[in-house]
């Protein structure tokens, strides 16, 4: 089972490789460095015996956590690594003062949508032609903070 820990600068070489394989319009190295140095962001690495198996980046603004980036190395997929990253993220943020969590996901990304629904995210809207590479729509997903549900 992968160990979830804070992301380090030294992870970024492997992370950029995973990012490039996972997304048609991948983040640059600079984008990761910027998030790592942002004190409102949470950057997590799934460490599988010293190798980066996956990562999650989220940032908090206007009382909402925005899930910005989540990917798992192809040969580690379907081993619940993204699930572990999301669980860790929720545990770390659940008690803070915020209204909830949001993210955008490609309409065609059924696996990811199913995973987010399993975490209680619901689709609250659509951003038309949000993805520039193929003009695909994004689903906007939302999950209330547990404090609000309590
Ligand atoms: C989406 C992604 C992060 C999932 O990571 P993962 O570690 O493989 O996911 P998990 O093993 O934790 O999956 C948990 C559940 O989500 C759903 N799921 C995840 N990937 C799926 C897929 N490819 N097809 C169908 N369901 C999928 C399943 O319900 C799965 O549970 P199950 O295996 O018991 O059926 C990974 O496929 C990935 O990196 N994809 C490319 C980048 C990406 O799309 N990121 C999300 C952007 S919003």
């Amino acid at each position: 089972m992968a160990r979830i820990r804070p992301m380090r600068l030294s992870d970024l070489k492997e992370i950029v490789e995973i990012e490039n394989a996972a997304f048609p319009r991948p983040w640059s190295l600079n984008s990761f460095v910027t998030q790592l140095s942002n004190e409102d962001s949470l950057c997590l690495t799934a460490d599988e015996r010293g190798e980066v198996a996956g990562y999650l980046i989220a940032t908090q603004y206007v009382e909402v956590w925005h899930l910005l980036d989540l990917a798992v190395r192809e040969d580690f997929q379907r081993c619940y690594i993204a699930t572990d990253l999301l669980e860790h993220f929720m545990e770390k943020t659940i008690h803070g003062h915020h209204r909830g969590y949001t993210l955008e996901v490609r309409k065609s990304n059924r696996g990811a949508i199913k995973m987010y629904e399993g975490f209680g995210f619901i689709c609250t809207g659509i951003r038309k032609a949000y993805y520039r590479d193929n003009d695909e729509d994004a689903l906007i997903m939302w999950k209330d903070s547990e404090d609000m549900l309590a």
Side-chain angles (χ1 to χ4, degrees), residues 23 70-72 77-83 109 111 114-116:
F23 298 107
L70 170 63
V72 171
Q77 288 180 5
R78 300 308 288 268
C79 300
Y80 300 108
I81 285 175
T83 298
N109 197 345
K114 193 171 167 202
M115 177 178 71
Y116 295 132

Side-chain angles (χ1 to χ4, degrees), residues 5 11 29 31 39 49 53 57 65 67-68 71 77-78 85 90 94 98 102-103 105 115 126 148-150:
R5 58 160 175 78
D11 295 332
L29 175 62
S31 307
E39 60 183 29
R49 296 168 203 226
I57 295 184
W65 275 102
L67 183 54
L68 301 178
Q77 288 180 5
R78 300 308 288 268
L85 283 160
M90 296 289 171
I94 207 87
H98 61 89
T102 191
L103 61 89
V105 57
M115 177 178 71
I126 289 180
M148 281 191 71
L149 294 173

Side-chain angles (χ1 to χ4, degrees), residues 75-126:
D75 52 331
F76 285 117
Q77 288 180 5
R78 300 308 288 268
C79 300
Y80 300 108
I81 285 175
T83 298
D84 284 349
L85 283 160
L86 279 164
E87 278 175 357
H88 200 92
F89 166 53
M90 296 289 171
E91 276 165 22
K92 273 204 148 339
T93 56
I94 207 87
H95 296 300
H97 176 70
H98 61 89
R99 293 190 294 120
Y101 305 88
T102 191
L103 61 89
E104 278 105 17
V105 57
R106 282 177 194 263
K107 208 167 82 175
S108 63
N109 197 345
R110 295 187 182 282
I113 292 166
K114 193 171 167 202
M115 177 178 71
Y116 295 132
E117 285 173 344
F119 274 84
F121 281 85
I122 53 167
C123 177
T124 54
I126 289 180

Side-chain angles (χ1 to χ4, degrees), residues 122-135:
I122 53 167
C123 177
T124 54
I126 289 180
R127 289 193 209 288
K128 290 301 265 181
Y130 181 74
Y131 296 100
R132 297 281 171 77
D133 58 302
N134 63 352
D135 284 340

